[in-house]
Amino acid sequence: MGDRHHHHPGGGRPVYTLLLSIGLALLALLSEAQGRMDRAKTEEESGAGLLRRVKRGWVWNQFFVLEEYTGLEPLYIGKLHSDMDLGDGSIKYILSGDGAGTTFTIDDSTGDIHAIKRLDREVQAQYLLRAQAWNRQTDRPLEPESEFIVKIQDINDNEPKFLEGPYQATIPEMSTIGTEVIRMTATDADDPTYGNSARVVYSILQGQPYFSVEPKTGVVRVSLAGMDREVRENYSVIIQAKDMGGQLGGLAGTTVVNITLSDVNDNPPMFDQKLYQMSVPESAPVSSVVGRIRAKDRDIGINAEMRYSIIDGDGRDTFDINTDPTNLFGIITIKKPLNFETKASYTLKIEGANTHVDHRFPDKGPFSHVTIVHISVEDVDEPPEFSSAAYYIAVPEDTEISTMFMTVSARDPDAANTSIRYSIERNTDLGKYFYIDITSGALMTVLPLDREEFSWHNITVLAMEMNNPRMIGSVSVAVKILDVNDNPPLLTQYFEAFVCESANAGQLIQTVTAVDADDPLGGHHFYYSLALEAANNPNFTLRDNQDNTAWILTRRGGWSQQDQSVYYLPIFISDGEQPVQTSTSTLTIRVCSCDVEGNVMSCNAEAYHLPASLSRGALIAILACIFVLLVMVLLMLSLQSHHKKPYLHDEEDNVHENIVRYDDEGGGEEDTEAFDIAAMWNPREAHLVGKQRQDMLPEIESLSRYVPLASVGGPGCGGGDSNVQGYVLAKLLETDLNPCAPPYDSLQTYAYEGEGSVAESLSSLQSGCSNTDHEYDYLNDWGPRFKKLAEMYGVLEMNNPPMW
């Protein structure tokens, strides 16, 4: 039968360890006895069916060993022994399983088991090992492998710990005794099923008398009533957790609980002053800020928020008070305009009250306070004020110049009541239609008014103090121009019409309408008729449709362009307003050739048509003649362009300008061949040199009218060069003294252009010297050559009156 041996205490071990070892040995013996009884019972039950019973060499279940062994020698765990072991060394013990070879070792000859490493129950509470006996000679197992457990016995080697510390907690101020603050739990890594190593007890080390802790639960509670946040807001409490039931020798751990008192509304607001003094200028606009006040509250957050109101005083209708965005200050603002001359001071009774009242503390109230605010209005030099905020007047457009149509009035609102001077802001009356009397404020017209040009005039009148020109008041004056019937009606669009040659009597050829710039109240109503001189004409008649339109109708048929191609029909138009305005407009009616549908084909009486008898051969002959003529013209131009020009021996010696004058139009650049450069060197003999033209003389001769030639040369001047220099200087002087001379660097002059002609000069160079309008009626006196100009610019005299 196998034996089980337990280790004996090692050297230097504590007494309690030895006692525990003895107890464990006793437990092991009891366990071994129980195991033997179980095996015997098993053998008896199975003996009847077995021819041969195999006896186990050893039986064991578990070993027990204390943790945290600190000795120098390996810790003896126990001894394994087989009944087959005769002590001759033929048996070899083998150990395997958890920690075999690393944590536990076995003597293969004796079966002694030792722990070679420090054991910690909190790391691993037990180890499962396997043991087997082998024959050294045959190297074969003698018995099957068996398992056993090594259990680590706990000792109190771990103190309680607060894993979540330090802790933060908040409770309302003024909390009652017993109010739970926080619940904490400390953990102990020791075995809670073995002894008191893990039984924790809580206590408070710091924080009395304000707080306490329950020993078993770890709940922190309020132990002092009436804690005031405004006195002390933060508390630091130290809590201890001790194992072994709090007995002497137990291990302990601590943590810190930071407790903050939250605010409640337990303090009433209060103003710093019973009377506040403020001032505001009378010119301050409505809604401007006068000042601000605050009722201070020792509470914070919403418990300190205020609501302000004016509960009494003579200024409650003039001023207003509102709470600022922080809900702490009361902002006093102007509700109505101020006037120092009317009232110079106001008194306000203002109340400040908490918006959030805690009804748990009624004895701490009342939660409101009252103060007095005195506001003084400061005098300010104000600009003049008009008697009206704006003026409106309606003026007829035929109002005569210098007519006074209204008077504006302004006064100085200050006590000084200084004199006022009036004026019109010019950028509102750019046309300068109006004038205002500087002292009386009377408005009058200075230019004619025309509703059709401006129907409204919006001017700004300024009023300025005499003693302080910077004080200026202004007012808007709206002047409406009333309509007067001062414009005649005129034809709107149709000044020309046509009648077909095939038109019959009574045919409508045109509908005419009129337009009037006036705007009568009842609307326009026009009356149409033919002018007196055309009332009985045999060609056309007019029908008034009584709807502001009229029809032009034919009185006859048989129209012909050859007889008369154009008719002029004067139309008389009048309006229905007083004073009646009339006008006469001429409608030009052309006789035209039309197709069968009445569409105009031609209104030209001089249109030509090819004779129908012209043959194709005749057309070819005409085209051939035109082609031959074109070829001849091109040939002549080509020959003329190949003429050789004169060869100049020294081109630089002939660089000059021909200064000439034209009494008539010449043939272009080739006309310069009629002059010789010698005229520039000897002006007096210019008429004897070269080839002369009777209709053109060098301009140098005209100098005799202004500068004598003798003085041009002067003494000391050399020959022809002096003449040229003098000529240039004379022309320069002439140009400088002539205000109408063109700004050109040119020596040409046209002072005598057209001389000797009945048309005189047609030049426009001196037209800038005259501001008179051009009259072209004299063109009719120049003969048939100027008939076209007379038609374009003048009045063509006709022997026969217009036909209608």
Side-chain angles (χ1 to χ4, degrees):
M1 176 178 287
D3 298 327
R4 183 173 182 181
H5 304 276
H6 289 276
H7 70 276
H8 55 79
R13 289 182 63 88
V15 177
Y16 72 87
T17 306
L18 179 60
L19 294 175
L20 289 174
S21 299
I22 294 172
L24 293 174
L26 293 175
L27 292 174
L29 291 174
L30 292 174
S31 177
E32 183 178 353
Q34 181 66 35
R36 288 177 180 179
M37 292 175 64
D38 293 338
R39 287 196 300 273
K41 184 177 180 180
T42 303
E43 291 173 356
E44 291 176 358
E45 293 175 353
S46 59
L50 296 175
L51 297 177
R52 185 170 180 266
R53 180 174 63 85
V54 178
K55 184 180 179 181
R56 288 187 67 86
W58 63 82
V59 177
W60 66 88
N61 289 325
Q62 58 188 357
F63 292 105
F64 295 90
V65 62
L66 292 175
E67 65 173 336
E68 302 296 344
Y69 170 69
T70 59
L72 299 178
E73 298 295 331
L75 176 63
Y76 181 72
I77 302 298
K79 185 178 180 64
L80 300 179
H81 183 72
S82 176
D83 292 342
M84 296 182 182
D85 187 0
L86 302 178
D88 56 358
S90 61
I91 301 299
K92 179 175 68 173
Y93 298 97
I94 297 176
L95 185 68
S96 63
D98 291 341
T102 57
T103 304
F104 302 100
T105 60
I106 188 172
D107 190 334
D108 61 354
S109 299
T110 63
D112 293 333
I113 300 174
H114 293 81
I116 60 176
K117 291 178 65 176
R118 183 177 178 180
L119 302 177
D120 190 352
R121 190 200 67 83
E122 287 72 36
V123 176
Q124 188 168 347
Q126 65 180 18
Y127 295 86
L128 178 62
L129 298 171
R130 295 182 297 275
Q132 194 174 23
W134 285 61
N135 191 315
R136 290 184 183 271
Q137 296 179 357
T138 63
D139 197 21
R140 297 181 63 182
L142 298 176
E143 294 181 359
E145 190 178 54
S146 299
E147 291 183 351
F148 67 95
I149 297 174
V150 177
K151 288 189 175 182
I152 311 302
Q153 295 292 329
D154 183 52
I155 63 173
N156 189 20
D157 59 343
N158 291 279
E159 73 278 2
K161 294 182 179 179
F162 295 92
L163 301 180
E164 298 178 0
Y167 297 87
Q168 306 291 332
T170 301
I171 58 170
E173 62 174 331
M174 299 295 173
S175 296
T176 59
I177 295 175
T179 301
E180 182 178 331
V181 179
I182 191 172
R183 182 185 295 268
M184 301 178 300
T185 301
T187 59
D188 196 321
D190 294 326
D191 189 358
T193 64
Y194 182 77
N196 295 326
S197 298
R199 188 162 69 88
V200 177
V201 175
Y202 300 93
S203 61
I204 184 168
L205 302 182
Q206 176 183 309
Q208 300 95 339
Y210 309 104
F211 301 97
S212 62
V213 64
E214 294 182 355
K216 294 183 179 180
T217 61
V219 175
V220 178
R221 297 183 182 275
V222 175
S223 60
L224 181 64
M227 287 188 292
D228 193 354
R229 185 200 66 82
E230 288 73 33
V231 176
R232 182 177 178 183
E233 184 177 3
N234 299 306
Y235 296 86
S236 182
V237 179
I238 300 178
I239 303 297
Q240 175 185 267
K242 190 174 183 180
D243 59 12
M244 298 299 291
Q247 297 178 5
L248 185 64
L251 303 178
T254 60
T255 188
V256 176
V257 182
N258 295 314
I259 302 174
T260 302
L261 299 183
S262 61
D263 186 60
V264 298
N265 193 6
D266 59 342
N267 293 279
M270 184 171 293
F271 289 100
D272 291 338
Q273 302 173 215
K274 293 183 178 180
L275 177 64
Y276 291 87
Q277 295 284 348
M278 297 182 182
S279 61
V280 59
E282 63 174 333
S283 59
V286 174
S287 299
S288 60
V289 176
V290 178
R292 67 178 189 171
I293 58 176
R294 179 184 181 184
K296 294 184 178 179
D297 195 326
R298 297 178 63 192
D299 298 319
I300 60 174
I302 62 173
N303 298 314
E305 292 181 357
M306 304 297 298
R307 180 183 63 253
Y308 297 91
S309 60
I310 302 175
I311 59 176
D312 199 2
D314 59 358
R316 62 188 307 176
D317 295 331
T318 308
F319 298 93
D320 197 4
I321 187 168
N322 297 285
T323 306
D324 74 330
T326 64
N327 294 322
L328 297 177
F329 294 90
I331 308 299
I332 301 174
T333 57
I334 299 175
K335 191 176 182 180
K336 292 182 179 180
L338 303 177
N339 193 330
F340 173 81
E341 290 73 25
T342 304
K343 189 172 179 60
S345 64
Y346 297 87
T347 301
L348 304 176
K349 188 176 183 180
I350 298 177
E351 179 188 59
N354 285 136
T355 56
H356 300 83
V357 178
D358 196 333
H359 299 288
R360 296 176 299 172
F361 310 103
D363 57 324
K364 301 290 185 179
F367 294 93
S368 63
H369 198 228
V370 176
T371 189
I372 303 298
V373 178
H374 184 267
I375 301 176
S376 299
V377 180
E378 298 176 350
D379 188 21
V380 176
D381 191 4
E382 300 173 275
E385 295 179 354
F386 284 89
S387 58
S388 178
Y391 292 90
Y392 165 81
I393 186 68
V395 180
E397 63 176 323
D398 61 349
T399 300
E400 296 183 359
I401 295 176
S402 301
T403 300
M404 185 186 71
F405 56 89
M406 77 173 303
T407 301
V408 297
S409 177
R411 59 174 293 274
D412 183 6
D414 299 319
N417 195 18
T418 58
S419 300
I420 305 298
R421 293 293 180 264
Y422 301 93
S423 63
I424 296 177
E425 190 174 0
R426 279 307 163 194
N427 59 358
T428 62
D429 184 26
L430 298 177
K432 298 182 179 180
Y433 289 92
F434 305 99
Y435 168 78
I436 188 169
D437 186 80
I438 191 172
T439 57
S440 65
L443 279 167
M444 60 188 69
T445 60
V446 294
L447 289 177
L449 302 178
D450 189 357
R451 189 203 65 85
E452 288 72 36
E453 183 179 5
F454 298 105
S455 60
W456 283 89
H457 292 271
N458 294 302
I459 62 176
T460 300
V461 176
L462 306 179
M464 180 184 66
E465 292 184 8
M466 283 287 294
N467 298 338
N468 189 358
R470 293 178 300 175
M471 293 293 102
I472 300 176
S474 63
V475 70
S476 176
V477 179
V479 182
K480 181 179 181 180
I481 309 302
L482 299 179
D483 185 49
V484 174
N485 191 25
D486 58 348
N487 291 280
L490 300 172
L491 287 181
T492 55
Q493 180 177 2
Y494 304 104
F495 289 95
E496 186 170 293
F498 70 92
V499 59
C500 293
E501 291 181 318
S502 60
N504 299 320
Q507 182 173 335
L508 173 66
I509 62 173
Q510 184 67 60
T511 300
V512 295
T513 59
V515 64
D516 193 336
D518 296 319
D519 187 16
L521 296 177
H524 293 290
H525 187 75
F526 303 122
Y527 301 93
Y528 300 88
S529 63
L530 294 178
L532 293 177
E533 61 271 20
N536 297 320
N537 77 90
N539 300 315
F540 304 98
T541 184
L542 182 145
R543 178 186 298 174
D544 191 343
N545 298 322
Q546 301 299 317
D547 60 353
N548 292 336
T549 64
W551 288 353
I552 306 299
L553 305 172
T554 59
R555 280 188 170 181
R556 65 177 179 85
W559 305 93
S560 174
Q561 293 183 2
Q562 300 298 328
D563 296 340
Q564 185 172 343
S565 62
V566 179
Y567 295 86
Y568 300 96
L569 186 66
I571 300 175
F572 180 81
I573 310 171
S574 65
D575 55 23
E577 299 296 322
Q578 295 296 328
V580 177
Q581 299 290 334
T582 63
S583 68
T584 300
S585 300
T586 300
L587 180 66
T588 301
I589 303 175
R590 296 185 180 276
V591 180
C592 301
S593 298
C594 303
D595 58 14
V596 294
E597 296 180 356
N599 299 320
V600 175
M601 297 177 59
S602 173
C603 294
N604 186 2
E606 299 176 357
Y608 292 96
H609 301 278
L610 285 174
S613 60
L614 190 62
S615 63
R616 180 177 301 178
L619 289 175
I620 295 175
I622 293 173
L623 292 177
C625 293
I626 293 173
F627 178 74
V628 172
L629 290 175
L630 288 176
V631 171
M632 294 178 63
V633 170
L634 291 176
L635 181 61
M636 294 176 63
L637 292 176
S638 176
L639 293 175
Q640 185 176 1
S641 63
H642 285 80
H643 287 171
K644 294 184 179 180
K645 297 182 181 179
Y647 180 77
L648 299 178
H649 295 279
D650 190 356
E651 192 170 323
E652 295 182 356
D653 293 340
N654 290 276
V655 176
H656 61 273
E657 292 184 0
N658 289 334
I659 304 173
V660 298
R661 61 182 288 261
Y662 297 93
D663 284 341
D664 60 353
E665 293 185 4
E669 294 179 354
E670 294 181 356
D671 282 359
T672 56
E673 296 179 358
F675 303 94
D676 194 278
I677 192 61
M680 298 295 295
W681 309 118
N682 192 359
R684 295 185 180 276
E685 298 179 1
H687 61 285
L688 301 176
V689 180
K691 189 169 43 178
Q692 268 193 329
R693 294 175 55 171
Q694 299 299 327
D695 58 344
M696 190 176 300
L697 294 176
E699 180 66 21
I700 193 66
E701 295 181 356
S702 65
L703 290 176
S704 60
R705 304 183 183 182
Y706 304 100
V707 182
L709 291 179
S711 62
V712 170
C717 296
D721 293 338
S722 61
N723 292 335
V724 175
Q725 180 181 5
Y727 169 75
V728 173
L729 292 176
K731 295 299 294 182
L732 179 61
L733 178 62
E734 174 187 347
T735 305
D736 291 339
L737 295 177
N738 185 4
C740 296
Y744 309 131
D745 294 330
S746 172
L747 298 180
Q748 299 179 9
T749 176
Y750 299 91
Y752 297 97
E753 182 182 5
E755 184 178 5
S757 171
V758 294
E760 298 182 349
S761 177
L762 297 180
S763 174
S764 62
L765 294 179
Q766 298 190 26
S767 62
C769 298
S770 174
N771 293 326
T772 60
D773 295 334
H774 293 287
E775 298 290 343
Y776 299 102
D777 294 340
Y778 55 85
L779 295 176
N780 294 318
D781 302 332
W782 289 2
R785 298 179 61 184
F786 296 94
K787 179 181 180 181
K788 189 63 177 177
L789 284 176
E791 292 177 355
M792 296 174 60
Y793 295 99
V795 178
L796 182 62
E797 294 183 355
M798 301 180 63
N799 296 327
N800 298 323
M803 298 295 294
W804 47 76

